[in-house]
């Protein structure tokens, strides 16, 4: 399978799992990628942002392992700082946990066979941005995905 197809299947699988999950709040969508249309940005939402990918070369084999990383960001809007921070953190943690289970609630760290493994590797507590409509709060969980790339 081509690398870009594998990456697309991973992103699509992550988005589908988050959309299907029961989270702490009803979300208005899942944004995938580094940018968003302003019309799509309507908190509460989950933002799935790619960070980078390390490539581990297996010299003795005809393949390599890729480990793309993503931030699963919970974004909420609130006039109450403590409440907004807590909601953003809980949303990010629940959305990232949803990636670890299939639609039947069984543990599946392969995204239905689209990768070898998926693990949470970091957490960034909530921070805020002041807007005219209150403050936006965002917290992030870093996810690392591992897959076998056989393009070469």
């Amino acid at each position: 399978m081509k690398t870009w197809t594998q990456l697309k299947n991973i992103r699509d699988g992550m988005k589908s799992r988050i959309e299907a999950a029961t989270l702490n709040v009803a979300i208005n969508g899942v944004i995938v990628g580094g940018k968003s249309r302003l019309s799509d940005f309507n908190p509460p939402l989950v933002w799935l942002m790619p960070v980078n990918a390390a490539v581990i070369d297996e010299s003795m084999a005809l393949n390599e392992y890729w480990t793309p990383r993503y931030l699963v960001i919970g974004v909420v809007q609130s006039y109450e700082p403590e409440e907004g921070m807590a909601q953003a953190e809980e949303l990010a943690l629940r959305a990232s946990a949803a990636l670890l289970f299939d639609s039947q609630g069984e543990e599946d760290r392969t995204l239905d066979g689209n990768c070898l493994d998926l693990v949470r590797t970091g957490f960034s507590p909530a921070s805020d941005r002041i807007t005219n409509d209150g403050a936006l709060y965002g917290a992030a969980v870093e996810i690392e995905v591992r897959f076998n790339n056989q393009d070469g």
Side-chain angles (χ1 to χ4, degrees):
M1 184 181 306
K2 295 292 184 189
T3 306
W4 61 86
T5 303
Q6 288 175 286
L7 289 169
K8 181 183 182 324
N9 290 345
I10 289 167
R11 281 192 307 268
D12 290 350
M14 292 172 78
K15 181 179 180 184
S16 295
R17 284 211 179 162
I18 293 169
E19 289 174 334
T22 302
L23 304 172
N24 63 318
V25 62
I27 60 172
N28 293 322
V30 178
I31 296 172
V32 179
K35 297 187 184 225
S36 168
R37 290 186 179 95
L38 193 54
S39 61
D40 293 339
F41 196 84
N42 184 22
L45 58 86
V46 174
W47 198 324
L48 186 58
M49 186 177 299
V51 181
N52 64 12
V55 178
I56 302 165
D57 181 23
E58 297 291 333
S59 303
M60 301 301 288
L62 296 175
N63 60 39
E64 54 195 18
Y65 292 97
W66 283 44
T67 57
R69 291 184 297 141
Y70 298 86
L71 294 178
V72 179
I73 306 169
V75 180
V76 300
Q77 192 164 22
S78 177
Y79 289 103
E80 299 297 326
E82 288 184 27
E83 181 180 304
M85 290 171 59
Q87 287 176 347
E89 289 174 355
E90 185 176 357
L91 180 55
L93 288 165
R94 286 184 183 257
S96 67
L99 299 175
L100 308 176
F101 298 91
D102 65 16
S103 60
Q104 308 302 313
E106 299 292 322
E107 184 175 19
D108 174 25
R109 294 174 179 262
T110 69
L111 290 173
D112 301 318
N114 287 308
C115 65
L116 298 173
D117 195 20
L118 183 147
V119 295
R120 295 189 279 189
T121 57
F123 174 73
S124 296
S127 61
D128 65 337
R129 296 278 185 243
I130 305 301
T131 68
N132 291 337
D133 299 320
L136 289 174
Y137 296 89
V141 174
E142 185 177 82
I143 297 286
E144 185 176 277
V145 181
R146 185 173 183 162
F147 70 92
N148 185 350
N149 176 21
Q150 297 179 339
D151 273 355

